[in-house]
Amino acid sequence: MTSDEQFELIERYLQGESSPAEVKSFESRIQNDPAFALAVQRHRDIQDLDDSANAFAFENLLTEIEAERKKQKPNSNRIIRLLNRPILQVAAVIVFLVATYLVWRVLDRPHFESADELYLASVDLEAFDKLSGHQDRELRSVELPVNAIDSNSLVYDAVLIRADSLFQLHEFSNSEFLLDSLLQNGDEFYFSRSETYYNLGMIQMYHNKFTEAIGNLSQVNGDHRKKATWYIAMAHIKVNNLERAREILEEIAKDPLHSRKKAAADALSASNIWEAI
Amino acid sequence: MSNLDDRFIKGIRSHDRAIIHEIYDRFQGRIISMIKERTGTTEDGEDVFQRALGDVLYRMIQKPDFKLTSRFYTLLHGIAKIIWQKELRKRKQVLIADQLPEGLVEEVNEVLEQREREKVLWRHIEQLGKECSKLFRLTLIDKLKDAQIAEIFNISNVGSIKVKRTRCKKRLLISLKSDPIYNDLAKQA
């Protein structure tokens, strides 16, 4: 085959103009001939250049937007030069002293070194009931040494960190309570519901609350879904629902992309399925 | 998909400056915090945010089968974590043991590899000579029709633009064939 003939062949295939027999022969050749596969990839990449132009235009747009945003930030050098004038220095000191007095007298806000401290200091867990309404002023006004967009996201980050630290301390009930409250009352914008169901289900597995774990892990979708199915199968074994456990393990064993495929196959072929746990 | 997430996706697709500014306002700070918690600096965080949004997320949402299965921020956050992991690996620094969703890691790696190949392709296009590189730019970047391109090239026969394009494509293929960098990248695809 000449290079021109190969060019036409590949172009026809990529444009969807080949017959079914030609497609079959073409794809078989890609599998068996690495040099040909590379040639096809070259054509494909050129064909995809259409999309790449838009993508590079978007990247240039982001560079422009970043430059605009940097220009909008206050010029600290200018501020320092202004403060070199004596009268302005005196005025700045007076303003600072008054502001400090006001802060000390009027505002009695707690200051926390970490998100963990925030929750140690939280008066009671009723605060979570108010999350969706963001009514808890104490939580909203807390200062934390993180660069967050707004105080609401600080609260959610604190909840998740706190739930994790309670889990690490084996305080499973408290950890479970936090995540459950989040699912009941939280604003979905600030956290992943699916990931939270997964974490809650896993805590319940540790806590031997297998029926509850099955319920929550069944709500998981997206990236954690495959992992969740394995643990659902384990939970069904624990509650002696072996038939359902087998069904799920069979699905896992058939899924080429599942990380527990082999483990599921081993469990199914074991003389006693309890050996899977 | 929530209305807010839908707005972000549409804004990115249409290059809407106001919506992109909003995405920066809402999420850049959180991504920077996440990077700083993982041994990065503010500048690292800014760079990772731009790459997550521009290099990866934009390309992902252009695919016809793209479907948002989590919140917009969750996806952006996941992509940023993966990019930072790769960067730490490149710098031979200690990796943070983050739980990264397998499917997303694969997809992000695929998109980043595709982007690397695209950059190589555009370098080759610029080296093809004035006529071919101009033709590619008018077709792909300016999105002109053959009749408009023929006018720019001062050619009366519009059909000859297609012939020129085929000739330039063949030259590009030959140029790529002898590039070991491109061939290494293409073998991973």
Side-chain angles (χ1 to χ4, degrees), chain A residues 3-4 7-8 11 15 38-39 41-43 45-59 61-66 68-70 72-73 146-150 153 156-157 187-195 198-199 221-224 227 257-259, chain B residues 4-5 8 11-12 15-17 20-22 24-30 32-33 36-37 46 49-50 53-55 58-59 69 71 73-74 99 101-104 114-115 117-119 121-122 125 136 139-141 143 166 169-170 172-173 176-177 182-183 186-187 189:
Chain A
S3 59
D4 281 345
F7 179 92
E8 293 303 329
E11 286 289 293
Q15 306 289 348
L38 202 48
Q41 188 60 50
R42 284 194 289 270
H43 276 258
D45 282 343
I46 294 173
Q47 194 181 39
D48 291 344
L49 277 175
D50 203 16
D51 296 332
S52 83
N54 289 336
F56 285 124
F58 185 77
E59 287 178 32
L61 175 62
L62 290 187
T63 305
E64 281 172 27
I65 286 176
E66 295 235 335
E68 279 168 26
R69 294 176 69 82
K70 281 194 163 91
Q72 285 164 12
K73 278 190 185 161
V146 292
N147 181 17
I149 294 298
D150 56 41
S153 65
Y156 284 91
D157 287 345
D187 181 347
E188 277 187 26
F189 181 77
Y190 294 104
F191 75 105
S192 161
R193 185 165 281 272
S194 179
E195 213 173 294
Y198 179 79
N199 290 331
N221 53 38
D223 293 317
H224 288 80
K227 279 192 288 195
L257 298 176
H258 204 296
S259 59
Chain B
L4 193 62
D5 287 351
F8 290 146
I12 289 171
H15 296 212
D16 187 321
R17 285 184 108 95
I20 294 166
H21 267 287
E22 187 182 342
Y24 268 84
D25 286 337
R26 284 184 182 272
F27 304 126
Q28 189 194 35
R30 296 187 75 181
I32 291 173
S33 294
K36 282 165 84 168
E37 277 163 20
E46 287 169 354
F49 181 83
Q50 189 178 5
L53 189 55
D55 293 4
Y58 180 84
R59 284 173 169 77
T69 53
R71 294 307 304 267
Y73 175 67
T74 307
Q99 249 194 338
E102 282 167 26
L104 184 63
Q114 187 194 351
R115 185 180 177 275
R117 295 199 305 277
E118 284 166 7
K119 276 166 67 179
L121 250 76
W122 280 104
I125 286 170
F136 272 112
T139 308
L140 298 171
I141 298 177
K143 312 266 187 227
T166 301
K169 216 173 184 179
K170 285 180 179 174
L172 179 57
L173 285 165
L176 288 172
K177 196 174 177 183
Y182 171 81
N183 287 330
K187 277 174 190 160

Side-chain angles (χ1 to χ4, degrees), chain B residues 1-185:
Chain B
M1 206 192 307
S2 79
N3 288 338
L4 193 62
D5 287 351
D6 189 45
R7 205 155 64 82
F8 290 146
I9 299 293
K10 284 182 174 154
I12 289 171
R13 280 191 177 134
S14 60
H15 296 212
D16 187 321
R17 285 184 108 95
I19 291 177
I20 294 166
H21 267 287
E22 187 182 342
I23 290 171
Y24 268 84
D25 286 337
R26 284 184 182 272
F27 304 126
Q28 189 194 35
R30 296 187 75 181
I31 298 289
I32 291 173
S33 294
M34 184 265 289
I35 298 298
K36 282 165 84 168
E37 277 163 20
R38 288 160 174 76
T39 73
T41 62
T42 302
E43 289 73 28
D44 288 331
E46 287 169 354
D47 181 56
V48 166
F49 181 83
Q50 189 178 5
R51 290 178 61 197
L53 189 55
D55 293 4
V56 182
L57 187 56
Y58 180 84
R59 284 173 169 77
M60 279 172 72
I61 68 176
Q62 298 309 316
K63 292 184 185 173
D65 58 352
F66 173 77
K67 198 177 164 195
L68 192 63
T69 53
S70 64
R71 294 307 304 267
F72 176 86
Y73 175 67
T74 307
L75 178 59
L76 183 63
H77 188 257
I79 294 170
K81 260 193 196 171
I82 293 166
I83 291 175
W84 184 238
Q85 280 259 0
K86 289 174 81 76
E87 183 59 29
L88 286 176
R89 216 171 267 125
K90 227 194 316 182
R91 294 182 189 182
K92 294 187 169 45
Q93 285 179 14
V94 174
L95 297 177
I96 310 296
D98 268 326
Q99 249 194 338
L100 297 171
E102 282 167 26
L104 184 63
V105 172
E106 223 175 272
E107 202 175 345
V108 170
N109 283 334
E110 220 175 87
V111 169
L112 287 172
E113 281 157 19
Q114 187 194 351
R115 185 180 177 275
E116 284 309 303
R117 295 199 305 277
E118 284 166 7
K119 276 166 67 179
V120 171
L121 250 76
W122 280 104
R123 260 205 315 271
H124 279 266
I125 286 170
E126 292 305 321
Q127 288 162 11
L128 284 179
K130 217 169 154 187
E131 194 184 73
C132 282
S133 60
K134 188 173 178 179
L135 182 55
F136 272 112
R137 270 186 273 118
L138 291 173
T139 308
L140 298 171
I141 298 177
D142 300 330
K143 312 266 187 227
L144 297 185
K145 302 274 182 228
D146 285 358
Q148 293 167 295
I149 296 173
E151 211 177 301
I152 290 169
F153 277 101
N154 215 10
I155 296 171
S156 53
N157 178 7
V158 176
S160 66
I161 295 297
K162 197 174 173 186
V163 172
K164 274 191 196 298
R165 190 178 292 121
T166 301
R167 201 179 62 229
C168 290
K169 216 173 184 179
K170 285 180 179 174
R171 284 181 58 193
L172 179 57
L173 285 165
I174 292 169
S175 180
L176 288 172
K177 196 174 177 183
S178 57
D179 183 348
I181 294 174
Y182 171 81
N183 287 330
D184 271 339
L185 291 170

Side-chain angles (χ1 to χ4, degrees), chain A residues 82-98:
Chain A
L82 272 175
L83 287 176
N84 280 338
R85 296 186 189 179
I87 193 163
L88 284 172
Q89 281 176 338
V90 170
V93 167
I94 293 168
V95 165
F96 176 74
L97 288 171
V98 169

Side-chain angles (χ1 to χ4, degrees), chain A:
Chain A
M1 191 182 278
T2 66
S3 59
D4 281 345
E5 282 167 347
Q6 180 166 286
F7 179 92
E8 293 303 329
L9 177 73
I10 296 174
E11 286 289 293
R12 267 204 334 271
Y13 171 80
L14 291 177
Q15 306 289 348
E17 291 165 7
S18 306
S19 68
E22 280 174 331
V23 167
K24 200 174 172 187
S25 152
F26 192 96
E27 285 172 0
S28 165
R29 195 174 162 197
I30 289 176
Q31 293 297 324
N32 299 312
D33 184 348
F36 183 71
L38 202 48
V40 174
Q41 188 60 50
R42 284 194 289 270
H43 276 258
R44 212 175 246 134
D45 282 343
I46 294 173
Q47 194 181 39
D48 291 344
L49 277 175
D50 203 16
D51 296 332
S52 83
N54 289 336
F56 285 124
F58 185 77
E59 287 178 32
N60 289 337
L61 175 62
L62 290 187
T63 305
E64 281 172 27
I65 286 176
E66 295 235 335
E68 279 168 26
R69 294 176 69 82
K70 281 194 163 91
K71 265 190 205 160
Q72 285 164 12
K73 278 190 185 161
N75 187 341
S76 53
N77 287 340
R78 207 183 308 157
I79 291 166
I80 289 168
R81 280 200 300 276
L82 272 175
L83 287 176
N84 280 338
R85 296 186 189 179
I87 193 163
L88 284 172
Q89 281 176 338
V90 170
V93 167
I94 293 168
V95 165
F96 176 74
L97 288 171
V98 169
T100 306
Y101 174 76
L102 282 173
V103 164
W104 177 66
R105 278 298 306 265
V106 174
L107 299 171
D108 188 16
R109 285 189 290 176
H111 178 84
F112 299 97
E113 292 298 320
S114 67
D116 238 17
E117 263 196 68
L118 163 68
Y119 269 97
L120 287 170
S122 296
V123 175
D124 56 47
L125 294 173
E126 275 182 20
F128 290 104
D129 295 334
K130 297 172 188 171
L131 274 177
S132 56
H134 309 304
Q135 289 163 19
D136 194 299
R137 290 178 61 198
E138 282 291 319
L139 290 170
R140 273 192 309 168
S141 67
V142 163
E143 292 163 358
L144 283 175
V146 292
N147 181 17
I149 294 298
D150 56 41
S151 59
N152 294 333
S153 65
L154 281 179
V155 173
Y156 284 91
D157 287 345
V159 171
L160 292 167
I161 292 169
R162 183 71 184 138
D164 185 57
S165 37
L166 286 167
F167 171 72
Q168 303 294 338
L169 292 167
H170 289 212
E171 290 190 44
F172 299 126
S173 294
N174 289 335
S175 184
E176 204 184 313
F177 179 90
L178 283 187
L179 293 183
D180 201 40
S181 299
L182 193 63
L183 288 164
Q184 303 281 336
N185 303 311
D187 181 347
E188 277 187 26
F189 181 77
Y190 294 104
F191 75 105
S192 161
R193 185 165 281 272
S194 179
E195 213 173 294
T196 306
Y197 275 125
Y198 179 79
N199 290 331
L200 180 56
M202 292 308 295
I203 291 166
Q204 287 164 337
M205 289 291 290
Y206 273 91
H207 204 190
N208 298 330
K209 291 168 92 171
F210 301 112
T211 306
E212 291 89 335
I214 290 168
N216 285 310
L217 289 170
S218 301
Q219 305 286 331
V220 176
N221 53 38
D223 293 317
H224 288 80
R225 177 80 194 151
K226 284 191 197 289
K227 279 192 288 195
T229 53
W230 170 260
Y231 290 108
I232 293 170
M234 294 302 105
H236 275 295
I237 293 174
K238 286 285 195 180
V239 299
N240 220 21
N241 192 355
L242 300 183
E243 201 180 306
R244 183 64 188 130
R246 278 194 189 285
E247 280 172 13
I248 298 169
L249 288 170
E250 274 162 13
E251 282 168 24
I252 295 172
K254 279 189 230 162
D255 181 355
L257 298 176
H258 204 296
S259 59
R260 301 273 192 169
K261 176 181 152 67
K262 185 175 181 311
D266 290 344
L268 288 165
S269 59
S271 54
N272 183 351
I273 201 170
W274 283 82
E275 288 169 24
I277 300 172

